[in-house]
């Protein structure tokens, strides 16, 4: 069963910018941004090691982790350095101005 949580408001999301939103009861914040006009939500932690991805850089559709500079494409979640790693993309539902994310 999905765990749907309210993460932020549409007005909080900035195109092509990494913004991480804390979620009560969840260790790491959720990053929500808009890529190519579509909302994208991913964990705020790198799947390689526990490093905050919101502190990384976003160029186009690619996040570069500040830990070891691995890159993740937000369109797919795939890591360009290590095919065994991927960044989970959470399903997003917008209700009025609210951005809800299915964490599980
Ligand atoms: S912690 Fe992100 S690449 Fe190593």
């Amino acid at each position: 069963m999905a765990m749907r949580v309210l993460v932020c408001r549409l007005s909080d999301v900035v195109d092509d910018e990494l913004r991480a939103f804390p979620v009560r009861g969840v260790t790491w914040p959720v990053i929500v941004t808009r890529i190519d006009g579509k909302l994208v939500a991913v964990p705020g932690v790198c799947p390689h090691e526990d490093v905050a991805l919101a502190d990384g850089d976003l160029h186009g559709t690619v996040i570069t982790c500040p830990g070891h500079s691995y890159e993740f494409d937000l369109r797919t979640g795939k890591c360009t350095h290590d095919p065994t790693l991927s960044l989970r993309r959470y399903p997003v539902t917008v209700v009025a101005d609210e951005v809800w994310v299915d964490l599980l």
Side-chain angles (χ1 to χ4, degrees):
M1 186 166 126
M3 180 177 140
R4 184 166 289 180
V5 296
L6 175 61
V7 174
C8 63
R9 305 241 171 228
L10 271 179
S11 54
D12 298 324
V13 180
V14 178
D15 290 13
D16 305 318
E17 184 175 300
L18 294 178
R19 284 200 176 173
F21 302 93
V23 175
R24 184 187 307 200
V26 177
T27 304
W28 289 91
V30 173
I31 292 173
V32 182
T33 189
R34 198 178 286 109
I35 299 288
D36 297 333
K38 294 181 183 167
L39 287 175
V40 175
V42 297
V45 62
C46 181
H48 180 229
E49 293 180 4
D50 286 350
V51 171
L53 278 177
D55 294 337
D57 294 316
L58 178 63
H59 294 287
T61 63
V62 176
I63 291 181
T64 302
C65 176
H68 306 96
S69 301
Y70 285 16
E71 294 178 338
F72 299 88
D73 191 327
L74 289 177
R75 293 172 298 182
T76 61
K78 290 186 177 171
C79 177
T80 58
H81 291 77
D82 182 344
T84 66
L85 291 177
S86 64
L87 192 58
R88 184 161 178 222
R89 287 169 37 101
Y90 296 131
V92 177
T93 302
V94 176
V95 179
D97 183 41
E98 298 174 343
V99 178
W100 293 79
V101 171
D102 293 343
L103 295 183
L104 300 176

